[in-house]
Short mmCIF file of all heavy atoms in Angstrom, two decimals:
data_model
loop_
_atom_site.label_atom_id
_atom_site.label_comp_id
_atom_site.label_asym_id
_atom_site.label_seq_id
_atom_site.Cartn_x
_atom_site.Cartn_y
_atom_site.Cartn_z
N LEU A 171 80.60 90.43 114.26
CA LEU A 171 81.25 89.39 113.47
C LEU A 171 82.09 88.48 114.34
O LEU A 171 82.09 87.25 114.18
CB LEU A 171 82.10 90.02 112.37
CG LEU A 171 81.35 90.80 111.29
CD1 LEU A 171 82.33 91.53 110.37
CD2 LEU A 171 80.44 89.89 110.48
N VAL A 172 82.81 89.06 115.30
CA VAL A 172 83.64 88.27 116.20
C VAL A 172 82.76 87.41 117.12
O VAL A 172 83.03 86.22 117.35
CB VAL A 172 84.56 89.19 117.03
CG1 VAL A 172 85.25 88.40 118.15
CG2 VAL A 172 85.60 89.84 116.13
N GLU A 173 81.69 87.99 117.64
CA GLU A 173 80.79 87.25 118.53
C GLU A 173 80.12 86.07 117.83
O GLU A 173 79.79 85.06 118.47
CB GLU A 173 79.72 88.19 119.09
CG GLU A 173 80.28 89.17 120.13
CD GLU A 173 79.31 90.30 120.46
OE1 GLU A 173 78.21 90.35 119.85
OE2 GLU A 173 79.68 91.15 121.29
N ARG A 174 79.94 86.16 116.53
CA ARG A 174 79.35 85.07 115.77
C ARG A 174 80.37 83.96 115.49
O ARG A 174 80.02 82.91 114.94
CB ARG A 174 78.78 85.57 114.45
CG ARG A 174 77.56 86.46 114.59
CD ARG A 174 77.01 86.85 113.21
NE ARG A 174 76.44 85.70 112.53
CZ ARG A 174 75.17 85.30 112.66
NH1 ARG A 174 74.34 85.96 113.47
NH2 ARG A 174 74.73 84.24 112.01
N GLY A 175 81.62 84.19 115.85
CA GLY A 175 82.65 83.18 115.63
C GLY A 175 83.13 83.09 114.20
O GLY A 175 83.74 82.08 113.81
N LEU A 176 82.90 84.14 113.41
CA LEU A 176 83.34 84.12 112.01
C LEU A 176 84.84 84.34 111.93
O LEU A 176 85.42 85.12 112.70
CB LEU A 176 82.60 85.20 111.22
CG LEU A 176 81.06 85.05 111.19
CD1 LEU A 176 80.42 86.22 110.47
CD2 LEU A 176 80.66 83.74 110.53
N THR A 177 85.46 83.65 110.99
CA THR A 177 86.93 83.72 110.87
C THR A 177 87.37 83.94 109.41
O THR A 177 88.54 83.73 109.09
CB THR A 177 87.59 82.44 111.40
OG1 THR A 177 87.07 81.31 110.68
CG2 THR A 177 87.33 82.28 112.89
N GLY A 178 86.45 84.32 108.56
CA GLY A 178 86.81 84.55 107.16
C GLY A 178 85.79 85.43 106.49
O GLY A 178 84.68 85.66 106.99
N MET A 179 86.18 85.97 105.34
CA MET A 179 85.27 86.77 104.54
C MET A 179 85.47 86.46 103.07
O MET A 179 86.58 86.15 102.62
CB MET A 179 85.45 88.28 104.80
CG MET A 179 86.61 88.95 104.12
SD MET A 179 86.26 89.44 102.39
CE MET A 179 87.47 90.74 102.15
N VAL A 180 84.37 86.52 102.33
CA VAL A 180 84.41 86.54 100.87
C VAL A 180 83.70 87.81 100.44
O VAL A 180 82.55 88.06 100.81
CB VAL A 180 83.70 85.32 100.26
CG1 VAL A 180 83.60 85.46 98.74
CG2 VAL A 180 84.43 84.03 100.62
N GLY A 181 84.43 88.65 99.70
CA GLY A 181 83.84 89.90 99.21
C GLY A 181 83.52 89.77 97.74
O GLY A 181 84.36 89.31 96.95
N HIS A 182 82.32 90.18 97.36
CA HIS A 182 81.94 90.07 95.95
C HIS A 182 81.49 91.42 95.41
O HIS A 182 81.01 92.29 96.15
CB HIS A 182 80.83 89.03 95.75
CG HIS A 182 79.48 89.49 96.24
ND1 HIS A 182 78.54 90.07 95.41
CD2 HIS A 182 78.92 89.46 97.47
CE1 HIS A 182 77.46 90.36 96.12
NE2 HIS A 182 77.67 90.00 97.37
N GLY A 183 81.65 91.59 94.14
CA GLY A 183 81.22 92.81 93.46
C GLY A 183 81.54 92.67 91.99
O GLY A 183 81.97 91.61 91.51
N LEU A 184 81.34 93.74 91.24
CA LEU A 184 81.62 93.74 89.81
C LEU A 184 82.53 94.91 89.49
O LEU A 184 82.30 96.03 89.95
CB LEU A 184 80.31 93.86 89.02
CG LEU A 184 79.43 92.61 89.08
CD1 LEU A 184 77.99 92.96 88.71
CD2 LEU A 184 79.95 91.53 88.15
N GLY A 185 83.59 94.64 88.72
CA GLY A 185 84.51 95.71 88.35
C GLY A 185 85.17 96.32 89.56
O GLY A 185 85.78 95.62 90.39
N THR A 186 85.03 97.63 89.70
CA THR A 186 85.63 98.34 90.83
C THR A 186 85.25 97.71 92.17
O THR A 186 86.09 97.59 93.07
CB THR A 186 85.21 99.82 90.80
OG1 THR A 186 85.89 100.47 89.72
CG2 THR A 186 85.54 100.53 92.10
N SER A 187 84.01 97.30 92.31
CA SER A 187 83.55 96.73 93.59
C SER A 187 84.31 95.46 93.93
O SER A 187 84.66 95.23 95.09
CB SER A 187 82.05 96.47 93.53
OG SER A 187 81.33 97.68 93.44
N GLN A 188 84.57 94.61 92.93
CA GLN A 188 85.36 93.42 93.21
C GLN A 188 86.78 93.78 93.61
O GLN A 188 87.36 93.16 94.49
CB GLN A 188 85.39 92.49 91.99
CG GLN A 188 86.18 91.21 92.28
CD GLN A 188 86.33 90.31 91.07
OE1 GLN A 188 85.85 90.61 89.98
NE2 GLN A 188 87.01 89.18 91.25
N PHE A 189 87.34 94.82 92.98
CA PHE A 189 88.71 95.18 93.30
C PHE A 189 88.83 95.82 94.68
O PHE A 189 89.89 95.76 95.31
CB PHE A 189 89.29 96.07 92.20
CG PHE A 189 89.28 95.41 90.85
CD1 PHE A 189 89.05 96.16 89.69
CD2 PHE A 189 89.46 94.05 90.73
CE1 PHE A 189 89.02 95.53 88.45
CE2 PHE A 189 89.42 93.41 89.49
CZ PHE A 189 89.21 94.16 88.35
N VAL A 190 87.74 96.44 95.16
CA VAL A 190 87.72 96.86 96.57
C VAL A 190 87.91 95.63 97.46
O VAL A 190 88.74 95.62 98.37
CB VAL A 190 86.41 97.57 96.92
CG1 VAL A 190 86.35 97.86 98.42
CG2 VAL A 190 86.24 98.86 96.14
N ALA A 191 87.13 94.59 97.18
CA ALA A 191 87.20 93.37 97.98
C ALA A 191 88.57 92.72 97.87
O ALA A 191 89.13 92.23 98.86
CB ALA A 191 86.12 92.39 97.53
N GLN A 192 89.15 92.71 96.67
CA GLN A 192 90.46 92.11 96.49
C GLN A 192 91.53 92.86 97.28
O GLN A 192 92.37 92.25 97.95
CB GLN A 192 90.83 92.08 95.01
CG GLN A 192 92.17 91.43 94.72
CD GLN A 192 92.50 91.38 93.24
OE1 GLN A 192 91.73 91.83 92.40
NE2 GLN A 192 93.66 90.83 92.91
N THR A 193 91.50 94.17 97.20
CA THR A 193 92.48 94.97 97.93
C THR A 193 92.28 94.85 99.43
O THR A 193 93.24 94.71 100.20
CB THR A 193 92.38 96.44 97.49
OG1 THR A 193 92.49 96.52 96.07
CG2 THR A 193 93.49 97.27 98.11
N ALA A 194 91.01 94.86 99.86
CA ALA A 194 90.71 94.77 101.29
C ALA A 194 91.07 93.41 101.87
O ALA A 194 91.33 93.30 103.08
CB ALA A 194 89.23 95.05 101.52
N SER A 195 91.09 92.37 101.03
CA SER A 195 91.37 91.03 101.54
C SER A 195 92.68 90.99 102.32
O SER A 195 92.79 90.30 103.35
CB SER A 195 91.43 90.02 100.39
OG SER A 195 90.14 89.80 99.84
N ALA A 196 93.68 91.72 101.85
CA ALA A 196 94.97 91.71 102.53
C ALA A 196 94.87 92.25 103.95
O ALA A 196 95.61 91.83 104.85
CB ALA A 196 96.00 92.51 101.74
N ALA A 197 93.96 93.21 104.17
CA ALA A 197 93.76 93.73 105.52
C ALA A 197 93.19 92.66 106.43
O ALA A 197 93.54 92.59 107.62
CB ALA A 197 92.84 94.95 105.49
N PHE A 198 92.32 91.82 105.88
CA PHE A 198 91.74 90.75 106.70
C PHE A 198 92.76 89.64 106.96
O PHE A 198 92.80 89.08 108.06
CB PHE A 198 90.47 90.22 106.05
CG PHE A 198 89.32 91.16 106.21
CD1 PHE A 198 89.07 92.16 105.28
CD2 PHE A 198 88.51 91.09 107.34
CE1 PHE A 198 88.04 93.07 105.46
CE2 PHE A 198 87.46 91.99 107.53
CZ PHE A 198 87.24 92.99 106.59
N TRP A 199 93.64 89.33 105.98
CA TRP A 199 94.72 88.37 106.28
C TRP A 199 95.64 88.93 107.34
O TRP A 199 96.01 88.25 108.30
CB TRP A 199 95.63 88.11 105.07
CG TRP A 199 95.01 87.84 103.76
CD1 TRP A 199 93.85 87.15 103.50
CD2 TRP A 199 95.54 88.24 102.48
NE1 TRP A 199 93.63 87.11 102.14
CE2 TRP A 199 94.64 87.76 101.49
CE3 TRP A 199 96.66 88.94 102.08
CZ2 TRP A 199 94.85 87.97 100.13
CZ3 TRP A 199 96.88 89.15 100.73
CH2 TRP A 199 95.98 88.67 99.77
N THR A 200 96.04 90.18 107.16
CA THR A 200 97.15 90.76 107.93
C THR A 200 96.71 91.28 109.29
O THR A 200 97.36 91.02 110.31
CB THR A 200 97.80 91.90 107.13
OG1 THR A 200 98.17 91.41 105.83
CG2 THR A 200 99.04 92.44 107.84
N TYR A 201 95.63 92.04 109.32
CA TYR A 201 95.18 92.65 110.57
C TYR A 201 94.28 91.73 111.38
O TYR A 201 94.43 91.62 112.60
CB TYR A 201 94.44 93.95 110.29
CG TYR A 201 95.26 95.07 109.67
CD1 TYR A 201 94.63 96.14 109.05
CD2 TYR A 201 96.65 95.06 109.73
CE1 TYR A 201 95.37 97.18 108.49
CE2 TYR A 201 97.39 96.09 109.17
CZ TYR A 201 96.74 97.15 108.54
OH TYR A 201 97.47 98.18 107.98
N ALA A 202 93.31 91.08 110.70
CA ALA A 202 92.33 90.27 111.43
C ALA A 202 92.76 88.81 111.57
O ALA A 202 92.22 88.09 112.41
CB ALA A 202 90.98 90.35 110.72
N GLY A 203 93.70 88.35 110.72
CA GLY A 203 94.08 86.94 110.75
C GLY A 203 93.02 86.04 110.14
O GLY A 203 92.96 84.85 110.43
N TRP A 204 92.18 86.60 109.27
CA TRP A 204 91.09 85.86 108.63
C TRP A 204 91.52 85.33 107.27
O TRP A 204 92.40 85.91 106.61
CB TRP A 204 89.89 86.78 108.41
CG TRP A 204 89.01 86.99 109.60
CD1 TRP A 204 89.32 86.76 110.91
CD2 TRP A 204 87.66 87.47 109.57
NE1 TRP A 204 88.24 87.10 111.71
CE2 TRP A 204 87.21 87.53 110.91
CE3 TRP A 204 86.81 87.87 108.56
CZ2 TRP A 204 85.93 87.96 111.25
CZ3 TRP A 204 85.53 88.30 108.89
CH2 TRP A 204 85.09 88.33 110.23
N SER A 205 90.88 84.25 106.84
CA SER A 205 90.95 83.90 105.43
C SER A 205 90.09 84.91 104.68
O SER A 205 89.07 85.38 105.20
CB SER A 205 90.43 82.48 105.19
OG SER A 205 89.05 82.39 105.51
N ALA A 206 90.49 85.26 103.48
CA ALA A 206 89.76 86.30 102.75
C ALA A 206 90.03 86.18 101.27
O ALA A 206 91.15 85.88 100.84
CB ALA A 206 90.17 87.70 103.24
N LYS A 207 89.00 86.41 100.47
CA LYS A 207 89.17 86.41 99.02
C LYS A 207 88.04 87.21 98.38
O LYS A 207 87.04 87.55 99.03
CB LYS A 207 89.20 84.99 98.46
CG LYS A 207 87.88 84.23 98.55
CD LYS A 207 88.00 82.88 97.86
CE LYS A 207 86.66 82.14 97.86
NZ LYS A 207 86.75 80.84 97.16
N ASP A 208 88.21 87.50 97.10
CA ASP A 208 87.21 88.24 96.34
C ASP A 208 86.59 87.34 95.28
O ASP A 208 87.20 86.36 94.84
CB ASP A 208 87.84 89.45 95.66
CG ASP A 208 88.92 89.05 94.66
OD1 ASP A 208 90.03 88.69 95.08
OD2 ASP A 208 88.65 89.08 93.43
N LEU A 209 85.35 87.69 94.88
CA LEU A 209 84.66 86.99 93.81
C LEU A 209 83.95 88.01 92.92
O LEU A 209 83.46 89.03 93.41
CB LEU A 209 83.60 86.04 94.37
CG LEU A 209 84.02 84.68 94.91
CD1 LEU A 209 82.80 83.98 95.51
CD2 LEU A 209 84.62 83.82 93.81
N ASP A 210 83.88 87.73 91.65
CA ASP A 210 83.00 88.45 90.74
C ASP A 210 81.56 88.01 91.03
O ASP A 210 81.26 86.82 91.10
CB ASP A 210 83.39 88.11 89.30
CG ASP A 210 82.51 88.77 88.27
OD1 ASP A 210 81.33 88.34 88.13
OD2 ASP A 210 82.97 89.68 87.57
N SER A 211 80.66 88.97 91.22
CA SER A 211 79.28 88.64 91.61
C SER A 211 78.60 87.72 90.61
O SER A 211 77.90 86.76 90.99
CB SER A 211 78.46 89.92 91.76
OG SER A 211 78.99 90.75 92.75
N LEU A 212 78.78 88.00 89.33
CA LEU A 212 78.12 87.18 88.32
C LEU A 212 78.70 85.78 88.28
O LEU A 212 77.97 84.80 88.05
CB LEU A 212 78.24 87.85 86.95
CG LEU A 212 77.47 87.20 85.79
CD1 LEU A 212 75.99 87.05 86.12
CD2 LEU A 212 77.66 87.99 84.50
N GLU A 213 80.01 85.65 88.52
CA GLU A 213 80.61 84.32 88.60
C GLU A 213 80.00 83.53 89.76
O GLU A 213 79.74 82.32 89.64
CB GLU A 213 82.12 84.43 88.78
CG GLU A 213 82.86 84.94 87.56
CD GLU A 213 82.83 83.94 86.42
OE1 GLU A 213 83.47 82.88 86.53
OE2 GLU A 213 82.15 84.22 85.41
N TYR A 214 79.76 84.20 90.88
CA TYR A 214 79.14 83.50 92.02
C TYR A 214 77.72 83.08 91.67
O TYR A 214 77.31 81.95 91.98
CB TYR A 214 79.15 84.39 93.25
CG TYR A 214 78.47 83.72 94.44
CD1 TYR A 214 79.06 82.61 95.05
CD2 TYR A 214 77.24 84.16 94.91
CE1 TYR A 214 78.44 81.97 96.11
CE2 TYR A 214 76.62 83.53 95.98
CZ TYR A 214 77.22 82.43 96.57
OH TYR A 214 76.60 81.79 97.61
N VAL A 215 76.98 83.95 91.02
CA VAL A 215 75.61 83.61 90.63
C VAL A 215 75.60 82.40 89.70
O VAL A 215 74.78 81.48 89.85
CB VAL A 215 74.93 84.82 89.94
CG1 VAL A 215 73.61 84.41 89.30
CG2 VAL A 215 74.69 85.94 90.95
N ASN A 216 76.52 82.38 88.75
CA ASN A 216 76.51 81.32 87.74
C ASN A 216 77.09 80.00 88.23
O ASN A 216 76.65 78.93 87.79
CB ASN A 216 77.30 81.77 86.50
CG ASN A 216 76.53 82.79 85.68
OD1 ASN A 216 75.31 82.79 85.66
ND2 ASN A 216 77.27 83.65 84.98
N PHE A 217 78.06 80.06 89.15
CA PHE A 217 78.77 78.83 89.50
C PHE A 217 78.63 78.41 90.96
O PHE A 217 79.00 77.30 91.32
CB PHE A 217 80.26 78.97 89.14
CG PHE A 217 80.48 79.15 87.66
CD1 PHE A 217 80.72 80.41 87.13
CD2 PHE A 217 80.41 78.07 86.80
CE1 PHE A 217 80.90 80.59 85.77
CE2 PHE A 217 80.59 78.24 85.44
CZ PHE A 217 80.83 79.50 84.91
N GLY A 218 78.11 79.30 91.80
CA GLY A 218 77.81 78.92 93.18
C GLY A 218 78.98 78.36 93.95
O GLY A 218 78.89 77.29 94.55
#
Side-chain angles (χ1 to χ4, degrees):
L171 294 173
V172 170
E173 288 167 359
R174 292 183 68 88
L176 300 176
T177 57
M179 79 83 157
V180 173
H182 73 95
L184 290 160
T186 288
S187 294
Q188 182 184 0
F189 301 145
V190 174
Q192 182 178 0
T193 306
S195 290
F198 285 89
W199 313 324
T200 306
Y201 295 163
W204 279 19
S205 65
K207 68 175 184 178
D208 62 284
L209 280 175
D210 178 287
S211 299
L212 187 54
E213 290 291 291
Y214 178 69
V215 169
N216 286 331
F217 297 100

